[in-house]
């Protein structure tokens, strides 16, 4: 390919090589283990680079007026998590579990807590919008921090986690964890288990409503919805090249009224009371491409059935329109949150600023 490029003026070319081993110690074991890893890394890098070359700034629509911009006093490695707390507060959990809080009316920083050991990979913290509490998943434990209102007084509660058990990054009044066998809805007081729901084989994504009454779990092409006072419901979603078992992303609205699932092929939003489809979008080739190799993706469904999606650090609203609407932003985001009232958005990411906007839609 490199030799052919000069023969075609104006044609760009890129060669990405994944390095699997050294020539001096090459063997069958190295080829079997490291060559697939090297090819995956090279593919992820290529998709990320091509994506940055193809996203047009003109495709990004504006949000509403900025409400507040707060400056973080500390930065750590790893992904940060953001959420709205009660009493008009915003909360950020850093990659080491440190908690920073602000008053949205004044922008004043409220007392938080310092960090400690690293969290598990990905979005492994959750902020409660109904109580002054956060939960973080560390390598061996689930730590719950309960503040006494806006003061710095707080209590730590810690419960053990299995090595394959992860935090479900939705909820609010309650929280949840899951492994491959069961999803456990837990109390935000002390992390104790309130109820358990069995997981389907091949679990790829999980989400719960604010009070845990609706639990959704997805495999590569099925969505299993469990309602506390009703029989479980199974929904079908198509994926791209299902034989390879690609992943999917899942969101339950805070009230449990809607369940949204996005695969590499389509996005569907169901109304849980009637199981009607209220939004269906089949992704274009470019939109499917955008999901490959991306880390830290996050899907959120608001109580009106509107869907926001964070991919490659870019925040967008997914509708049935001809294009996915990229929302105007500064830098790249690690995480975002929708206020329980549905009128505010908050985001945290690559800059030291925490940004809050009115969400006009």
């Amino acid at each position: 390919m490199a030799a052919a490029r000069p023969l075609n003026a104006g044609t760009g070319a890129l060669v990405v090589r994944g390095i699997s081993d050294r020539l001096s110690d090459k063997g069958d074991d190295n080829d079997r283990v490291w060559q697939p890893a090297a090819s995956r890394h090279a593919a992820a890098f290529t998709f990320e680079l091509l994506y940055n070359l193809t996203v047009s700034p003109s495709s990004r629509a504006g949000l509403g007026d900025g409400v507040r911009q707060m400056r973080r006093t500390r930065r750590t490695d790893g992904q940060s998590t953001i959420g709205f707390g009660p009493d008009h507060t915003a909360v950020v959990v850093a990659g080491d579990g440190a908690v920073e809080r602000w008053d949205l009316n004044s922008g004043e920083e409220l007392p938080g807590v310092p960090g400690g050991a690293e969290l598990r990979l990905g979005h492994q913290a959750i902020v409660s919008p109904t109580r002054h509490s956060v939960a973080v998943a560390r390598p061996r434990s689930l730590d719950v921090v309960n503040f006494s209102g806006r003061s710095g007084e707080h209590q730590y509660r810690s419960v053990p986690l299995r090595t394959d058990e992860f935090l479900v990054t939705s909820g609010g009044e309650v929280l949840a964890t899951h492994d491959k066998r069961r999803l456990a809805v837990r109390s935000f007081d002390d992390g104790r288990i309130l109820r358990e729901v069995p997981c389907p084989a091949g679990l790829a994504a999980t989400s719960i409503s604010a009070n845990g009454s609706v639990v959704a779990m997805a495999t590569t092409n099925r969505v299993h919805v469990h309602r506390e006072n009703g029989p479980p419901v199974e929904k079908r979603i198509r994926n791209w090249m299902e034989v390879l078992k690609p992943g999917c992303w899942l969101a339950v609205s805070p009230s449990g009224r809607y369940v949204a699932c996005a695969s590499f092929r389509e996005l569907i939003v169901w109304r849980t009371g009637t199981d009607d489809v209220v939004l269906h979008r089949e992704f274009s080739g470019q939109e499917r491409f955008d999901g490959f190799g991306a880390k830290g993706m996050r899907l959120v469904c608001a109580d009106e059935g509107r869907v926001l999606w964070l991919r490659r650090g870019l925040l967008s609203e997914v509708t049935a329109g001809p294009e996915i609407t990229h929302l105007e932003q500064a830098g790249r985001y690690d995480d975002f949150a929708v206020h329980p009232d549905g009128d505010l958005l908050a985001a945290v990411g690559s800059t030291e600023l925490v940004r809050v906007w009115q969400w006009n839609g």
Side-chain angles (χ1 to χ4, degrees):
M1 185 178 74
R5 188 199 60 78
L7 303 178
N8 296 272
T11 300
L14 172 69
V15 176
V16 178
R17 298 189 180 189
I19 307 301
S20 60
D21 48 49
R22 296 178 297 181
L23 186 62
S24 60
D25 63 357
K26 193 172 179 63
D28 292 341
D29 289 342
N30 300 63
D31 291 347
R32 184 169 56 255
V33 175
W34 293 113
Q35 283 190 358
S39 65
R40 287 195 299 270
H41 294 164
F45 173 84
T46 304
F47 283 125
E48 186 72 20
L49 178 62
L50 292 176
Y51 180 82
N52 282 285
L53 294 175
T54 55
V55 172
S56 170
S58 62
S59 67
R60 300 176 190 169
L63 288 164
D65 295 334
V67 174
R68 184 66 61 185
Q69 224 171 226
M70 291 85 69
R71 190 173 298 276
R72 300 180 65 184
T73 57
R74 53 173 289 136
R75 294 295 303 276
T76 62
D77 295 332
Q79 288 183 319
S80 296
T81 300
I82 193 167
F84 289 101
D87 303 330
H88 212 55
T89 57
V91 183
V92 168
V93 183
D96 63 352
V99 180
E100 296 178 86
R101 304 190 296 160
W102 295 268
D103 182 323
L104 287 177
N105 290 319
S106 64
E108 175 189 359
E109 186 172 3
L110 302 174
V113 295
E118 292 293 316
L119 306 189
R120 297 196 176 198
L121 295 177
H123 293 113
Q124 284 300 297
I126 180 175
V127 176
S128 171
T130 60
R131 51 190 298 158
H132 294 279
S133 301
V134 301
V136 296
R138 300 191 186 277
R140 294 181 177 84
S141 66
L142 174 70
D143 294 345
V144 181
V145 185
N146 294 308
F147 290 91
S148 297
R150 292 168 174 261
S151 75
E153 296 181 10
H154 61 275
Q155 290 186 333
Y156 267 109
R157 299 294 180 89
S158 184
V159 296
L161 288 182
R162 299 185 180 97
T163 56
D164 62 343
E165 192 170 7
F166 296 91
L167 183 65
V168 178
T169 53
S170 58
E173 300 171 33
V174 297
L175 58 99
T177 59
H178 75 86
D179 51 26
K180 295 299 182 182
R181 298 171 293 278
R182 56 82 170 116
L183 181 146
V185 178
R186 297 175 178 267
S187 166
F188 236 124
D189 288 326
D190 52 15
R192 71 182 185 279
I193 296 176
L194 303 176
R195 72 185 183 105
E196 294 183 335
V197 180
C199 293
L203 182 67
T206 58
S207 185
I208 67 171
S209 61
N211 64 4
S213 62
V214 176
V215 172
M217 295 179 281
T219 64
T220 187
N221 54 16
R222 295 283 191 280
V223 178
H224 304 261
V225 181
H226 296 260
R227 289 169 285 198
E228 198 167 31
N229 297 317
V233 176
E234 183 178 302
K235 295 294 185 181
R236 176 83 162 88
I237 188 164
R238 298 173 299 165
N239 221 323
W240 184 70
M241 296 179 65
E242 293 183 7
V243 66
L244 298 181
K245 298 189 180 299
C248 58
W249 298 267
L250 193 60
V252 177
S253 68
S255 67
R257 189 176 300 122
Y258 298 98
V259 173
C261 185
S263 69
F264 284 106
R265 183 168 179 175
E266 61 185 351
L267 179 139
I268 302 177
V269 180
W270 295 276
R271 184 180 286 109
T272 55
T274 62
D275 298 325
D276 294 336
V277 173
V278 297
L279 173 63
H280 177 233
R281 180 188 184 89
E282 184 154 358
F283 295 136
S284 68
Q286 177 64 43
E287 291 167 351
R288 296 179 192 180
F289 169 82
D290 289 347
F292 284 103
K295 295 181 179 180
M297 297 208 281
R298 185 81 175 268
L299 191 71
V300 167
C301 183
D303 263 336
E304 304 80 18
R306 297 164 66 186
V307 176
L308 289 170
W309 202 357
L310 182 67
R311 298 184 298 173
R312 302 179 183 275
L314 300 178
L315 183 58
S316 58
E317 181 172 3
V318 185
T319 67
E323 292 185 0
I324 291 179
T325 303
H326 293 281
L327 303 180
E328 186 178 357
Q329 63 186 71
R332 288 178 172 269
Y333 294 143
D334 287 345
D335 192 28
F336 73 99
V338 178
H339 193 276
D341 293 339
D343 59 346
L344 294 178
L345 278 179
V348 62
S350 58
T351 72
E352 61 185 6
L353 295 178
V354 176
R355 304 183 69 204
V356 182
W357 307 268
Q358 294 283 347
W359 184 21
N360 293 340

